[in-house]
């Protein structure tokens, strides 16, 4: 709503209210003393009026400005002191007829329209002109309703023509403008379903935080966590689910805990199978382990996605992976792997300590064999990066340690940890499972490979149809391929043969149990 401007005019000590314009009239004795004060007070008002002048009229040329200013000064000097006026708004003068281009008395014929808006003096308008000033001619800071509407196409090209006070539309238009569709980078990923079995064991418990923190699947991948264990442990699973919720992970969308296969395995994208045979377990425990992994294979085949990625971390790894793959008839064998990353990480760590570098500076380590005396760290393709240059590991580490010290250190590492901590190295084992899945899910750099337990097709003398630790490439489509062309010396050949024979024996024993149980 437009309002009238009213100011007080001081004339010879009397207060007079004038409508339509504002100004100050001074007596003869006060002009020279107060002129500087008037100019300083009016400069603020005049700076505000400049913006309206620039929008309503074009600025006169500089030559005309100088002429008009000189004329204004000469006219002001010839006026009586009571006629001196400091104008408040340039728009008011235009509305009162001073912007019409006609000569005004006392201005020397100069048109006020050509006068610069920085002029400090002006002639007071006649009384009849004051009365003719309407409300519409007074400048208002509100939006001009008579302005032409902006077309939709113009709005798209130049953005919004008006923003409310305090609007942040110019900062985050993608959040405030509902008409714009979000870009692909802004669209959140669909959550993936990650299953962890034997969740009440310490191994599974240690996996949970890295999985939902973004260490495995990426910092932008939401997760629905499936927790599975025997039904008698349902209260423990409930407590673990509450703990995960209390951690307030941004990527954790939901926690499902159950003892039923059809719920736990339903539509899962990734499965960590951690049910394990005790180290000192007898035949009864082995039978229970066989029954468990046969059931896992059937549940995966019936309920999981056909693209599910499975990592088996429970001992005996090769046999459990074989059983799960055999009974998951609808899922390709390429989707099943066993944990081989733990010994791989141990070998890399020991070499990094020798070289004084961090472990991720060493690549292309291979660990063949099953474990114990049959385990063999192969450093023939191993490379280390030092000071932005790559070196073969054989040029940086003494050959004596590589041939004798490294294999022995890797073999006894777990026993040493268990002796010192009085429990097996489950933390490093959980981390190794997460590392293996991360590389499988995200992929490796070209020319880089890691060790994974995958199904054999007879390569390097390994018996076919068993799961064995191989060096593998992994592309960004989550497809692995066994590295070929590795030189097999006599020592490595013996390691592969002994390990393959032991894995075959255990596989055949497990299949006999399946036959006895009618599985």
């Amino acid at each position: 709503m437009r309002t009238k401007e009213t100011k007080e005019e001081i004339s010879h000590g009397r207060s007079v209210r004038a409508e339509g314009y504002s100004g100050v009239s001074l007596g003869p004795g006060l002009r020279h003393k107060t002129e500087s004060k008037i100019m300083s007070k009016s400069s603020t008002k005049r700076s505000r009026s400049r913006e309206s002048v620039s929008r309503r009229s074009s600025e006169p040329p500089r030559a005309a400005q100088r002429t008009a200013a000189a004329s204004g000064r000469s006219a002001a000097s010839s006026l009586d002191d009571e006629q001196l006026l400091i104008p408040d708004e340039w728009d008011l003068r235009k509305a009162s007829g001073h912007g019409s281009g006609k000569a005004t008395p006392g201005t020397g014929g100069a048109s006020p329209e050509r006068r610069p808006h920085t002029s400090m003096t002006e002639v007071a308008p006649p009384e009849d002109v004051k009365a003719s000033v309407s409300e519409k001619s007074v400048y208002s800071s509100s939006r001009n309703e008579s302005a032409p509407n902006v077309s939709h196409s113009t709005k798209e090209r130049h953005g919004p023509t008006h923003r409310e006070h305090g609007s942040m539309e110019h900062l985050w238009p993608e959040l405030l403008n509902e008409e714009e569709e979000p870009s692909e980078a802004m669209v959140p990923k669909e959550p993936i379903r990650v299953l962890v079995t034997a969740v009440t064991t310490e191994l599974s418990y240690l996996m949970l935080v890295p999985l939902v923190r973004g260490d495995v699947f990426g910092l932008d991948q939401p997760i629905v966590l499936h927790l599975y264990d025997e039904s008698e442990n349902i209260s423990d699973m409930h407590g673990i689910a509450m703990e995960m919720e209390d951690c307030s992970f941004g990527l954790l969308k939901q926690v499902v805990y159950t003892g039923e296969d059809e719920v736990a395995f339903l539509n899962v994208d990734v499965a960590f199978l951690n049910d394990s045979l005790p180290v000192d377990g007898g035949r009864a425990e082995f039978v229970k382990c066989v029954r468990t992994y046969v059931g896992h294979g059937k549940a995966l085949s019936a309920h999981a996605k056909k693209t599910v990625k499975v990592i088996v971390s429970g001992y005996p790894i090769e046999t459990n992976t074989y059983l799960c793959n055999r009974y998951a008839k609808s899922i390709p064998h390429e989707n099943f792997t066993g944990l081989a990353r733990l010994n791989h990480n141990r070998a890399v760590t020991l070499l990094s300590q020798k070289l004084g570098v961090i472990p991720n500076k060493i690549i292309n380590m291979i660990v063949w064999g099953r474990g114990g005396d049959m385990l063999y760290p192969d450093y023939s393709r191993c490379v280390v990066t030092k000071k932005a240059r790559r070196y073969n590991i054989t040029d940086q580490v003494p050959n004596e340690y590589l041939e004798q010290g490294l294999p022995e250190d890797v073999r006894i590492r777990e026993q040493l940890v268990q002796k010192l901590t009085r429990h097996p190295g489950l933390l490093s084992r959980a981390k190794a499972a997460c590392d293996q899945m991360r590389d499988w899910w995200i992929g490796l750099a070209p020319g880089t490979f890691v060790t994974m337990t995958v199904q054999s097709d007879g390569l390097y003398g390994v018996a076919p149809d068993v799961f064995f630790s191989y060096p593998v490439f992994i592309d960004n489509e989550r497809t692995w391929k066994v590295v070929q062309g590795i030189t097999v010396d006599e020592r490595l050949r013996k390691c592969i043969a002994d390990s393959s024979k032991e894995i075959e024996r255990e596989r055949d024993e497990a299949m006999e149990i399946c036959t006895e149980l009618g599985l």
Side-chain angles (χ1 to χ4, degrees), residues 212-227:
V212 299
R213 191 173 53 193
D215 297 352
V216 180
F217 305 103
L219 298 175
D220 59 346
Q221 179 59 68
I223 289 175
V224 175
L225 195 59
H226 288 221
L227 308 181

Side-chain angles (χ1 to χ4, degrees), residues 134-153:
S134 63
E135 292 184 5
K136 290 185 179 180
S137 64
V138 180
Y139 177 78
S140 174
S141 61
S142 62
R143 188 177 180 183
N144 187 2
E145 298 178 358
S146 62
N149 294 329
V150 180
S151 65
H152 183 68
S153 59

Side-chain angles (χ1 to χ4, degrees), residues 291-359:
R291 188 189 296 272
T292 297
Y293 277 92
V294 169
H296 288 347
K298 292 180 178 180
L300 286 168
S301 182
H303 307 294
K305 292 182 179 179
K306 305 311 174 187
T307 57
V308 62
K309 308 299 182 188
V310 181
I311 285 185
V312 177
S313 302
Y315 292 129
I317 292 175
E318 295 84 1
T319 301
N320 290 340
T321 309
Y322 171 82
L323 290 171
C324 194
N325 170 68
R326 181 179 178 87
Y327 284 88
K329 299 184 182 299
S330 64
I331 299 176
H333 71 85
E334 293 87 355
N335 292 17
F336 292 87
T337 67
L339 180 64
R341 190 60 174 267
L342 179 55
N343 288 324
H344 177 102
N345 285 352
R346 287 169 176 164
V348 169
T349 298
L350 291 168
L351 286 178
S352 69
Q353 293 173 353
K354 281 286 183 180
L355 295 170
V357 298
I358 57 178

